Amino acid sequence: MAPSYALLAKEAIVLLDKFNAGRQCLDDFIEDASKDLQNLDTLQKKFILDIVSGCAEQNKLLDAVINVFYGHNGKCISRGDRSQFVIICYLAIFALDDIGLQSFSKIVKSLDIKKMHTFLNFFFTNLTTWIQEEWNTIYDAAYVEKHWIGPLLRWRPEINIFLDQLSLKISQGNQIKKAPAKTTEPKEFSLTKPKPSALPLPELIPQQEKCKPVPSSTYRPPKEMQMIEEIKQKNHQKTEELLYEANMKQFRCGNVQKSKHTKKVMSQIREDFDSKLKFNSFQSSQSPSSKKTNNWPIKLNSAAILRQGALFDRQAEEALQRMERLVEGGREPSSFRQWQKDMRERDLQEELAAIERRYLEGRISYEEAAMARTHLMERNQKTAQLKKEETAELMKKYAEKRLQEEKEMRDLVQQVAEGHKNSKAAKEKIQKFKQSIVKEVSEQSRELLRQALEEAQAELSRKFEIICEIRAIESLPHNRMKNFDDTQTAGHDLLGEMSLCELRERLTLLKEVQQAEQQEKRVQILEEKQNKKQMLLEQLDTIDLHRRALAQAASIRREERKSRLGIRQVVPQDETVLALQRKLEEKQQERQRLKIESQRAKTSEQAASQSVKNTDTHNRKEKSWEEVELILERHIQMETPYVVL
């Protein structure tokens, strides 16, 4: 067990770094850690878990030492090493008698010696001064003296010897090993040697720029043809889509009213859709009647009540004013209203006639547009045929031009390949000259680096001594406790200055005054609510009276409306409407005639094209054999390498 204490201490440091007291439970963490340490012996696992649990339980005792240590030495010691100092402090206080000084020294030596020396020196020098005072504030003074201070003082002589050994080891490691003195070695006299005759510089070989390789596009068909075909296809698709939309969609001005056939189809579709939705029709109930006999009262809010009350008051005032005007000799407006009604009916009939005219005009314009589209399609077909012939001629000229350019490029490549020569000898001479220069420069830089390192080490040792002196001065404790009396003022000599007790008394008095004001406001609000409620009840009574009167007047008007006969709105047959109908029939007949003529022309063209195809097949076979021979020649020229003379 003894020789493995250092490894066990490192395992405990790793576990303590993982533990977080604010977020994790200690028992759960110990159980998880014991599962991870199943490969160790029971004694070794018990030692590691006891250290971790002890550090967590004695957290306040250990933090009193570690926090002050970091306050004095935090600039040169990392916060990541906190777990190491916590475990060393715990072993020195609680486990030094159990493991012994030899095992404790091995654990300390397995860690960073310099940091452990500074921590142990700080801990044992301040043990009987402020460390004991801090522990007395946490635990009883007699218990601290008996169980912790006394055993540590017994181990202090041996710990001091161990610290001296560590300081000696640190000083030996910091000493810079001096290099052995160089002995003088005899050298031969450096006599001047005759300089060899300088060789004439070689003439520079003119280097020609590398020629660009032949692009791969020379042996490929041009992209222009493919782009032209794609554009043709896109334009053809667009024209088909536009034609389909023009045939399917009518003009908006000609589709004002739906025809009888469309209305019949729409009603049939609606009935089919409703029949699909009749689930369990034998259980369905009849639809509620639109004529309701019961007039249930509607609950109104305060704003609606006030709004309707104001409306009925205004209506009553208007009725009174109208009665006063009649008494004074005013005129009854019933004759004017009858005349206004007749004029509106006449305007409605004129509007219906205008709508019928617009519908017929729209149908006529649709027929004219269809005829114009057929003429335009014929003209476009003729122009497209001419364009095809022109593009075929241009492609022939382009192919001849490309063949001529290929021949010129082959001649140029052969001429350039003849002028290339090898220039490796001149490059090797230049490279050797550069290598010799680099060797001389590297030797000088090594010497300068060695001198700079020696100066830096001397400067670092001097700074380290100054830092140690400053930290020793800062390690002295300071008393910063202050007593607070809430009955005294701060002593700033201000006019409104008061103590904390006086401030609290004044705040309580202000709260009582505010509560009294709130109670008065509450009583006032309740009175206002009661008055408003009474006023709303009075308004509801007046609204009920007005509604009854309005219901009686509405029933009288309904009976009068039933007694009247409905006026049928018949569209008058004007001369303009009849003329437009005749013109529409003529346009439809003309479009039908053009359609029949175009179909006959298409059949005749197809028969002629079939005869032309039979005559052209023989010519195409001859042309295809010539094209195959040309393709084979190009393929052979691409695969055969160029001959360099």
Side-chain angles (χ1 to χ4, degrees), residues 102 108 238 405 640:
Q102 188 175 0
V108 172
K238 285 181 182 178
E405 288 178 356
T640 54

Side-chain angles (χ1 to χ4, degrees), residues 432-445:
K432 288 179 182 178
F433 179 70
K434 289 180 180 178
Q435 286 176 356
S436 62
I437 293 168
V438 169
K439 286 180 182 178
E440 293 177 359
V441 172
S442 62
E443 289 175 358
Q444 293 176 1
S445 63

Side-chain angles (χ1 to χ4, degrees), residues 329-342:
R331 187 180 176 185
E332 182 67 24
S334 59
S335 60
F336 172 75
R337 286 175 183 170
Q338 185 64 31
W339 173 81
Q340 191 178 18
K341 187 177 180 181
D342 295 337

Side-chain angles (χ1 to χ4, degrees), residues 5-21:
Y5 270 123
L7 297 174
L8 298 177
K10 288 182 180 178
E11 288 288 338
I13 290 165
V14 172
L15 287 175
L16 192 60
D17 285 332
K18 294 179 182 178
F19 177 67
N20 189 357

Side-chain angles (χ1 to χ4, degrees), residues 91-326:
L91 292 174
I93 298 168
F94 298 100
L96 192 58
D97 293 332
D98 297 334
I99 62 175
L101 183 63
Q102 188 175 0
S103 301
F104 181 74
S105 64
K106 286 181 180 179
I107 292 169
V108 172
K109 287 178 182 178
S110 67
L111 303 172
D112 193 351
I113 299 170
K114 194 172 182 181
K115 293 177 182 177
M116 293 298 113
H117 177 264
T118 55
F119 174 70
L120 291 172
N121 191 12
F122 172 80
F123 178 64
F124 281 99
T125 51
N126 299 314
L127 181 63
T128 56
T129 57
W130 62 268
I131 291 175
Q132 188 175 2
E133 293 175 359
E134 289 289 332
W135 287 355
N136 288 337
T137 58
I138 301 168
Y139 293 97
D140 190 21
Y143 183 81
V144 170
E145 181 68 29
K146 181 180 179 182
H147 290 87
W148 297 329
I149 301 297
L152 287 172
L153 290 175
R154 287 198 302 273
W155 284 100
R156 191 168 185 175
E158 298 177 1
I159 293 293
N160 288 331
I161 295 167
F162 175 61
L163 290 173
D164 293 336
Q165 292 175 1
L166 289 177
S167 62
L168 182 63
K169 194 171 183 180
I170 291 165
S171 63
Q172 288 177 358
N174 289 332
Q175 286 180 359
I176 300 167
K177 293 182 180 180
K178 294 182 179 179
K182 293 182 180 180
T183 57
T184 57
E185 294 179 358
K187 293 183 180 179
E188 294 182 357
F189 293 106
S190 58
L191 300 174
T192 57
K193 295 180 181 179
K195 293 183 179 179
S197 58
L199 294 172
L201 293 172
E203 294 180 356
L204 294 173
I205 298 169
Q207 295 182 356
Q208 295 180 352
E209 294 182 355
K210 290 183 180 180
C211 65
K212 293 181 180 179
V214 179
S216 60
S217 61
T218 55
Y219 305 109
R220 293 178 185 173
K223 294 181 180 178
E224 286 78 3
M225 291 297 294
Q226 188 176 359
M227 291 169 67
I228 290 166
E229 289 294 331
E230 289 177 357
I231 292 164
K232 282 181 181 178
Q233 290 178 2
K234 289 179 182 177
N235 291 335
H236 187 64
Q237 288 177 1
K238 285 181 182 178
T239 53
E240 287 181 351
E241 290 174 0
L242 291 170
L243 179 61
Y244 178 74
E245 288 179 0
N247 290 329
M248 293 298 292
K249 295 181 180 179
Q250 297 180 355
F251 289 102
R252 292 180 183 175
C253 62
N255 197 14
V256 176
Q257 291 182 350
K258 294 182 177 66
S259 63
K260 293 181 180 179
H261 180 68
T262 54
K263 289 179 181 178
K264 186 178 179 181
V265 171
M266 286 174 68
S267 63
Q268 189 177 359
I269 290 165
R270 197 177 293 112
E271 287 174 0
D272 294 339
F273 184 76
D274 293 338
S275 65
K276 291 178 183 177
L277 297 176
K278 288 182 180 179
F279 303 109
N280 299 325
S281 60
F282 61 91
Q283 293 180 359
S284 62
S285 60
Q286 192 177 5
S287 61
S289 62
S290 60
K291 297 178 181 179
K292 295 182 180 179
T293 56
N294 295 326
N295 293 323
W296 299 104
I298 300 167
K299 190 174 181 180
L300 303 173
N301 57 5
S302 60
I305 291 166
L306 293 172
R307 193 163 52 245
Q308 284 195 1
L311 176 64
F312 290 142
D313 292 339
R314 190 165 60 252
Q315 288 175 359
E317 288 177 1
E318 289 176 357
L320 289 172
Q321 289 175 4
R322 191 164 55 252
M323 293 294 290
E324 288 175 358
R325 284 197 299 271
L326 289 171

Side-chain angles (χ1 to χ4, degrees), residues 68 97 131 282 378 439 453 472 508 587 622:
V68 178
D97 293 332
I131 291 175
F282 61 91
E378 291 175 358
K439 286 180 182 178
L453 282 171
T508 54
K587 293 289 183 183
E622 293 178 357

